[in-house]
Amino acid sequence: MALTPSVPEARRWLCQAKSDLKAAHNDIRRCCPNWVLFKVHQALEKALVAAVLCCGEAFAIHCLMKPGGLKGMAQWLEAKEPELQGLVLDVQLLCDCSVDGKATQYPNYHTFPVIPCEAFPSVDEEDILKKAQKVLGTLKNLVDRK
């Protein structure tokens, strides 16, 4: 299913991204860093889709499954919108902090017997949320200018 590019559709996706980030914030210090990381991933993914949509590009949901994921969308956006310089680096920093849609949820991404809820004990959840908020703010500014 392809999403029709428009600013209202972009705002709808951005609104859900903010909600996902708020949900991540609610999980801080609740012994479930994998859920914080997963919800941040979901927020970033939706905010990046919002930015793509407001740039006038149709977006097929299956594109999220292709290699490159968040970083691929960030690279496309940074090339299309020069004022987003630094977006790829910001997204890469979050990915390097274990913001991931799979490893945070599935045991097969970890060595046996580790499961996702045990795999991220030293994650600085507050720092990750600050970095994610920065990216969402950057993408919101882009959507607001369109």
Side-chain angles (χ1 to χ4, degrees), residues 51 54-55 74-88 90 134-135 137-146:
C54 83
C55 289
Q75 288 168 339
W76 184 88
L77 283 162
E78 198 174 281
K80 177 104 173 155
E81 300 286 337
E83 70 268 20
L84 293 179
Q85 186 69 35
L87 178 65
V88 173
D90 290 341
K134 177 187 175 203
V135 172
T138 298
L139 297 172
K140 179 187 181 304
N141 289 341
L142 174 71
V143 172
D144 287 348
R145 284 193 305 273
K146 297 290 181 174

Side-chain angles (χ1 to χ4, degrees), residues 13-14 16-21 23-24 34-49 64-65 70 73 99-102 104-105 132 136:
W13 279 75
L14 192 58
Q16 185 59 48
K18 290 179 197 173
S19 177
D20 290 354
L21 199 60
N34 63 307
W35 281 104
V36 173
L37 294 167
F38 177 72
K39 290 173 184 179
V40 167
H41 178 272
Q42 295 298 294
L44 287 175
E45 186 174 72
K46 289 172 185 134
L48 288 163
V49 169
L64 293 173
M65 304 304 181
L70 300 180
M73 282 192 284
V99 169
D100 184 276
K102 300 290 185 186
T104 56
Q105 301 301 298
L136 261 67

